[in-house]
Amino acid sequence: MTQSLYPAFGVLLVDDEPSFLRSLGIALERSGGINHIHRCHDSREVMEILARENIGLVTLDLTMPHLSGEELLARIVEEYPDVGVIVVSGLNQVESAVSCIKLGAFDYFVKTDEESRLVEGIRRAIRLQELRQENQALRRRVLDDTLERPEAFAHIVTADKGMRAVFQYLESVALTQQPILISGESGVGKELIAKAAHTLSGRRGPLVCVNVAGLDDNVFADTLFGHQRGAFTGAEQPRAGMIEQAAGGTLLLDEIGDLSLASQVKLLRLLQEGEYYPLGSDRPKRLQARVVVATHHDLAEKQRAGTFRKDLYYRLRTHQVHIPPLRQRKQDIALLLDHFLAEAAAELGKGKPSYPPELAVLLGNYAFPGNVRELRAMAYDAMSQHRSRTLSMAAFKRAIDQARGDEAPLHHRQRAVFAPDEPLPTLDEVADLLVEEAMQRAEGNQTMASRWLGISQPALSKRLKKRRDEGA
């Protein structure tokens, strides 16, 4: 398997000492997981490399033959302003550091500094470069209202502008190593979004999905990290964890909001250090997968309540996408209905039926607490009972009535119908408002409107006639 390069842009190490270049490159790969590295020991070749390669960050020695570091720094800042520069000098001089920062260097390190400080400084600069590139890409896509890779979203049926904005954001952050947090109610299609993020990343490895809800700390560690033989009773053979299985690809941790506090500590360390220990092993392994997490919980609320670690929450929300519920993208309902009916018809060996226009109105006025998953279940249930040329609405009505019956007590307890600072309307005024709203939602269909109002169609017709007579 070909190892994925990180970061997406190249890091150019410039120094006239080949031994320093070699040791720094090894440290970056071992400690930082940074392997997209170019090395240059001749300062005269730097500008040519920048013109030829996709370089996003340069580490630059100050004291070199031919062209000095300060000369190169000035040229890079002028000709390649989007390339970040870190100065790594053998001179521990405040004046030199201040001069370089004024010229446009991102940071200044001395070669005698601890190696870990230099590696962490380079990692920090890479993250800032990634964020800058993502912001530029997102701004370009939003202004142009374009998708560069629409095929990555072909499996998601939508015409909603909010979903399109999600797609544009995903394209902007697809190539970074940072985790993505996907939030949204159950059934909105978070796994489909994770699949699109994986496709956009260009990673050759697989997309591995793990539902972490209900896993205790030991099972979570064994599932993700794997174990060595003899790590615990019954561990007769070594087993690779899901992280290793997802190497070179994407690891999706679903229902992350249900993760225990003890497991949250392990996940935080994995994301911070980029390494992990299989159970029973004292040799760390590098994280070679991009981590994507999904949840239907409000993680901000959970961290305020103390059930989700604040440091992990902020680590995960580096890149966050929220999938709107189906009730907020009503134009997708008809598209999804057609898609699921065709899918169910093909699976059941039936022809795709037509359906009455009232069905679209009925579904458009339903809240869909189960979102896209609920609509799919309705379509499959209706198709399994379908016998005639036109699809019956009975299965949809039955499912909606049952769902509304289940949620009615809670709904009536929690919803505020009237504003407390306004006078109450009379019963006649309320009745007229209800009738008007029901007729508007039913697009003039009295049968559907009367059903929502809980009265007979003749009773509704009589009330409408009375209103017309009074208005005449």
Side-chain angles (χ1 to χ4, degrees), residues 300-330:
E301 181 59 37
K302 286 183 73 70
Q303 68 92 8
R304 284 193 291 269
T307 57
F308 201 87
R309 292 181 62 95
K310 183 180 292 187
D311 45 8
L312 178 58
Y313 169 65
Y314 287 116
R315 170 69 68 171
L316 291 176
R317 61 168 293 180
T318 302
H319 301 306
Q320 180 176 3
V321 294
H322 180 74
I323 314 304
L326 186 55
R327 63 181 173 275
Q328 292 180 6
R329 41 189 177 109
K330 291 185 178 295

Side-chain angles (χ1 to χ4, degrees), residues 77-363:
V77 169
E78 180 181 356
E79 298 181 31
Y80 298 95
D82 291 337
V83 174
V85 180
I86 291 179
V87 173
V88 184
S89 173
L91 303 174
N92 188 5
Q93 296 179 352
V94 175
E95 296 84 358
S96 178
V98 171
S99 174
C100 290
I101 297 300
K102 284 183 176 180
L103 282 172
F106 174 78
D107 213 335
Y108 186 102
F109 291 93
V110 180
K111 288 183 179 179
T112 55
D113 288 340
E114 291 182 8
E115 192 174 74
S116 59
R117 280 195 62 204
L118 177 55
V119 171
E120 182 54 35
I122 292 174
R123 289 176 64 180
R124 185 168 60 249
I126 287 173
R127 286 197 293 269
L128 288 173
Q129 282 293 87
E130 287 176 334
L131 288 173
R132 185 190 59 77
Q133 291 184 1
E134 290 158 15
N135 288 335
Q136 289 179 342
L138 182 59
R139 188 181 303 114
R140 182 177 66 252
R141 288 180 176 91
V142 170
L143 290 176
D144 297 341
D145 194 23
T146 58
L147 291 174
E148 292 183 3
R149 296 188 57 192
E151 72 280 0
F153 308 100
H155 57 289
I156 303 175
V157 179
T158 183
D160 181 69
K161 289 184 177 180
M163 291 296 289
R164 187 175 180 84
V166 168
F167 297 167
Q168 291 171 334
Y169 181 78
L170 279 179
E171 283 192 336
S172 302
V173 304
L175 298 179
T176 75
Q177 186 83 345
Q178 302 304 311
I180 296 179
L181 169 60
I182 304 172
S183 61
E185 296 177 5
S186 294
V188 293
K190 295 186 287 294
E191 190 168 329
L192 295 179
I193 294 296
K195 181 180 177 182
H198 172 67
T199 301
L200 290 167
S201 73
R203 293 172 172 267
R204 294 189 176 96
L207 170 64
V208 176
C209 304
V210 184
N211 190 317
V212 300
L215 298 184
D216 65 30
D217 187 45
N218 291 329
V219 176
F220 172 79
D222 186 32
T223 301
L224 257 65
F225 307 145
H227 62 255
Q228 299 283 40
R229 181 181 179 182
F232 50 84
T233 303
E236 298 177 356
Q237 297 293 332
R239 186 180 69 82
M242 293 298 186
I243 295 175
E244 190 169 340
Q245 294 179 34
T250 302
L251 177 66
L252 169 62
L253 302 180
D254 201 5
E255 301 299 347
I256 198 71
D258 295 318
L259 200 61
S260 70
L261 286 170
S263 296
Q264 289 176 31
V265 175
K266 290 181 170 64
L267 177 59
L268 177 63
R269 185 184 184 283
L270 172 71
L271 296 175
Q272 285 182 332
E273 305 299 328
E275 62 182 26
Y276 63 97
Y277 290 85
L279 299 184
S281 172
D282 58 0
R283 298 183 63 183
K285 290 188 174 183
R286 291 296 309 172
L287 171 64
Q288 298 291 344
R290 205 270 188 84
V291 176
V292 175
V293 301
T295 181
H296 69 278
H297 289 291
D298 183 346
L299 291 190
E301 181 59 37
K302 286 183 73 70
Q303 68 92 8
R304 284 193 291 269
T307 57
F308 201 87
R309 292 181 62 95
K310 183 180 292 187
D311 45 8
L312 178 58
Y313 169 65
Y314 287 116
R315 170 69 68 171
L316 291 176
R317 61 168 293 180
T318 302
H319 301 306
Q320 180 176 3
V321 294
H322 180 74
I323 314 304
L326 186 55
R327 63 181 173 275
Q328 292 180 6
R329 41 189 177 109
K330 291 185 178 295
Q331 61 179 326
D332 284 350
I333 293 175
L335 292 174
L336 288 164
L337 177 62
D338 284 335
H339 173 74
F340 290 140
L341 288 177
E343 192 176 72
E347 190 171 317
L348 297 169
K350 300 180 179 181
K352 181 188 172 185
S354 60
Y355 55 84
E358 293 84 3
L359 178 58
V361 177
L362 174 71
L363 297 178

Side-chain angles (χ1 to χ4, degrees), residues 14-16 40-47 50 58-77 85-91 96 99-100 103 108:
V14 183
D15 198 292
D16 62 318
C40 177
H41 62 269
D42 188 336
S43 59
R44 294 170 296 184
E45 299 175 1
V46 170
M47 300 309 292
L50 290 176
V58 177
T59 68
L60 194 60
D61 184 23
L62 277 188
T63 309
M64 295 183 291
H66 310 303
L67 286 174
S68 71
E70 285 200 24
E71 289 180 85
L72 275 175
L73 174 60
R75 288 190 62 183
I76 293 171
V77 169
V85 180
I86 291 179
V87 173
V88 184
S89 173
L91 303 174
S96 178
S99 174
C100 290
L103 282 172
Y108 186 102

Side-chain angles (χ1 to χ4, degrees), residues 92 123 194 447 453 465:
N92 188 5
R123 289 176 64 180
T447 301
L453 292 169
K465 184 176 183 302

